[in-house]
């Protein structure tokens, strides 16, 4: 499939946003029929070729399906596919990628600071045993931290940004058990400044 050109990139975003808003507004479910190319073209004041290419892209990502002679229908898709869609069409410039990385780091730091106050002895021991003598993905460790923080909004924001992070092609990182121990020890002190210092020191090793 041809990639959208710079001149029609904004139209792709407009079409995607229109479809997302329409799905939410009308309460569409998997299996429901979407408007025709002609109807979308008229609603968006866009050429049918632009609408057709955007729909083809959505179909390739598994978000919709076209049935010959019947029309286009919403598929049962998972959240990571929507993340892939957005990262493909909206978050491709370097500034946006850096913003995702920076925001993810801020949320992880906030998670550490909240978790240090919520963490009980059993959770602390579990973290220490879990990271001993093996390499653990950074995302797996912070999934545990965000769960301990017990803040639903923080969890949702971190999950979405973590999905963006991987969809944009950032490498999967594994921290050593020693690095995790340093961070857990910093949490045990209850000192936010110490947590930030250790976190940034570790992150510098992987940038």
């Amino acid at each position: 499939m041809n990639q959208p050109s710079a001149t029609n990139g904004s139209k792709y975003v407009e079409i995607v946003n229109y479809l997302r808003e329409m799905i939410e507004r009308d309460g569409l479910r998997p299996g429901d029929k979407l408007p025709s190319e002609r109807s979308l073209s008229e609603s968006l004041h866009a050429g049918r070729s632009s609408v057709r290419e955007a729909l083809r892209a959505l179909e390739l990502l598994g978000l919709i399906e076209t049935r010959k002679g019947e029309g286009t229908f919403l598929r049962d898709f998972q959240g990571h596919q929507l993340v892939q869609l957005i990262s493909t069409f909206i978050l491709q410039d370097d500034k946006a990628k850096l913003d995702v990385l920076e925001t993810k780091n801020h949320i992880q730091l906030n998670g550490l600071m909240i978790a240090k106050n919520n963490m009980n002895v059993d959770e602390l021991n579990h973290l220490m045993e879990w990271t001993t003598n093996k390499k653990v993905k950074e995302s797996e460790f912070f999934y545990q931290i965000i769960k301990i923080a017990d803040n639903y909004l923080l969890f949702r924001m971190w999950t979405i940004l973590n999905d963006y992070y991987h969809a944009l092609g950032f490498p999967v990182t594994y921290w050593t058990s020693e690095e995790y121990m340093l961070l857990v020890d910093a949490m045990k002190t209850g000192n936010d400044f110490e947590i930030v210092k250790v976190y940034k020191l570790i992150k510098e090793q992987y940038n």
Side-chain angles (χ1 to χ4, degrees):
M1 186 189 119
N2 293 330
Q3 294 294 320
S5 66
T7 55
N8 65 11
S10 61
K11 187 58 65 177
Y12 271 76
V13 175
E14 186 178 344
I15 294 169
V16 168
N17 284 335
Y18 178 84
L19 288 172
R20 175 182 57 78
E21 292 169 1
M22 180 192 68
I23 290 168
E24 292 178 356
R25 181 186 67 242
D26 298 342
L28 298 183
R29 299 292 181 186
D32 288 344
K33 189 174 183 179
L34 298 180
S36 65
E37 285 181 12
R38 179 178 178 179
S39 177
L40 287 171
S41 177
E42 291 174 352
S43 298
L44 290 162
H45 305 290
R48 290 187 64 173
S49 61
S50 294
V51 172
R52 187 178 302 116
E53 288 188 27
L55 290 175
R56 284 176 59 200
L58 295 175
E59 187 168 20
L60 286 174
L61 289 171
L63 299 174
I64 62 174
E65 64 175 330
T66 300
R67 302 173 191 168
K68 190 173 181 180
E70 296 183 49
T72 303
F73 298 82
L74 187 65
R75 289 191 62 183
D76 186 6
F77 60 87
Q78 300 297 317
H80 73 274
Q81 292 174 304
L82 185 58
V83 166
Q84 184 181 357
L85 167 68
I86 295 173
S87 65
T88 299
F89 292 111
I90 302 176
L91 293 174
Q92 283 301 307
D93 63 278
D94 291 338
K95 176 65 168 61
K97 291 180 180 180
L98 290 174
D99 286 348
V100 167
L101 179 59
E102 182 179 1
T103 306
K104 177 172 173 282
N105 282 335
H106 282 306
I107 288 178
Q108 290 185 170
L109 270 172
N110 281 315
L112 288 167
M113 293 173 188
I114 297 172
K116 82 175 191 301
N117 296 321
N118 293 353
M119 192 164 50
N120 58 42
V121 174
D122 289 339
E123 289 169 331
L124 176 61
N125 289 335
H126 170 71
L127 276 179
M128 295 179 71
E129 292 172 6
W130 184 54
T131 57
T132 299
N133 299 323
K134 65 178 180 179
K135 287 190 173 183
V136 175
K137 290 180 184 177
E138 177 189 349
S139 58
E140 291 176 347
F141 177 79
F142 278 98
Y143 176 79
Q144 299 295 326
I145 292 295
I146 301 298
K147 280 177 60 180
I148 294 171
D150 194 27
N151 182 307
Y152 180 74
L153 180 57
L154 192 76
F155 178 79
R156 290 295 300 146
M157 292 170 64
W158 179 84
T159 301
I160 292 169
L161 283 166
N162 189 58
D163 285 343
Y164 280 145
Y165 178 85
H166 293 298
L168 289 168
F170 285 105
V172 176
T173 54
Y174 291 80
W175 293 9
T176 66
S177 58
E178 291 80 6
E179 288 167 336
Y180 287 119
M181 286 297 99
L182 284 173
L183 196 51
V184 172
D185 285 342
M187 293 175 69
K188 287 163 64 176
T189 69
N191 187 317
D192 289 348
F193 176 78
E194 185 68 17
I195 292 172
V196 172
K197 184 177 74 172
V198 173
Y199 179 82
K200 289 185 176 180
L201 181 65
I202 295 172
K203 292 294 290 186
E204 286 174 0
Q205 308 301 314
Y206 298 94
N207 290 339

